[in-house]
Amino acid sequence: MSTAPAAVSVAIGQWAVAASPSKIRTLLGSCVGVILYDRAGRVGGLAHVVLPNSRGAVDHPGKYADTAIPGLIADLGALRGKSAGRLVAKLTGGASMFTLGAASASPSSAIMNIGRTNQEAVEQILSALHIPVIARDLGGATGRHVTLDTATGLVLVRSPGAVEKEL
């Protein structure tokens, strides 16, 4: 009799790492899901990034792109050990969950488009760390259910009213 893989749910502003055979999942709206995977070690992690920059805040490191990504990498490093392979990234989420009446350049428009701001921050950080982004499912106007299978590196994304797809 085989047992089902462990399932780890990632709450908003948190991250989690796991080794094969595990599944890591979350639900995203304007937040960006940063999925890092090491095929050689069959380990992966998912960060549920809420905002692009911590501005020095240290109380909730999983909430911000600039603190969550390094934290996720550190935890993956501890899990990967000496058999570490190269990390690759997949990104999802970053939806525009709120609409503005007319096009606006006001400060509130940046807040209303936090999904895009999160996407840009995550992409910049991963580029600076030389972690290639091999797949993206970003933007749009709806949330997503996301699941990483650490045994395969497969990421499944399901949006309301849409067919589940592989990322």
Side-chain angles (χ1 to χ4, degrees):
M1 173 167 50
S2 65
T3 59
V8 179
S9 291
V10 179
I12 187 169
Q14 302 291 314
W15 72 80
V17 299
S20 176
S22 297
K23 293 190 178 196
I24 306 172
R25 55 181 52 123
T26 197
L27 173 63
L28 301 163
S30 58
C31 298
V32 170
V34 178
I35 297 123
L36 298 181
Y37 187 69
D38 173 351
R39 179 177 294 176
R42 294 187 354 155
V43 297
L46 188 154
H48 188 136
V49 174
V50 180
L51 294 169
N53 192 310
S54 65
R55 292 185 168 72
V58 295
D59 55 342
H60 299 289
K63 187 175 182 179
Y64 308 100
D66 65 331
T67 52
I69 293 171
L72 177 62
I73 292 169
D75 283 359
L76 276 170
L79 189 61
R80 292 162 68 202
K82 294 182 181 181
S83 66
R86 182 174 180 185
L87 287 175
V88 295
K90 295 182 180 183
L91 305 176
T92 186
S96 293
M97 302 296 290
F98 310 101
T99 58
L100 294 174
S104 172
S106 72
S108 66
S109 67
I111 293 168
M112 298 301 278
N113 199 6
I114 193 66
R116 182 74 190 140
T117 307
N118 284 335
Q119 293 173 35
E120 291 168 358
V122 164
E123 294 263 8
Q124 288 173 355
I125 292 165
L126 292 170
S127 177
L129 294 170
H130 306 288
I131 297 174
V133 178
I134 61 170
R136 294 171 178 83
D137 180 37
L138 296 163
T142 62
R144 296 159 172 87
H145 290 271
V146 181
T147 303
L148 164 65
D149 184 338
T150 60
T152 63
L154 178 69
V155 175
L156 296 176
V157 179
R158 184 175 41 88
S159 296
V163 174
E164 186 172 64
K165 64 183 173 183
E166 181 179 330
L167 183 61

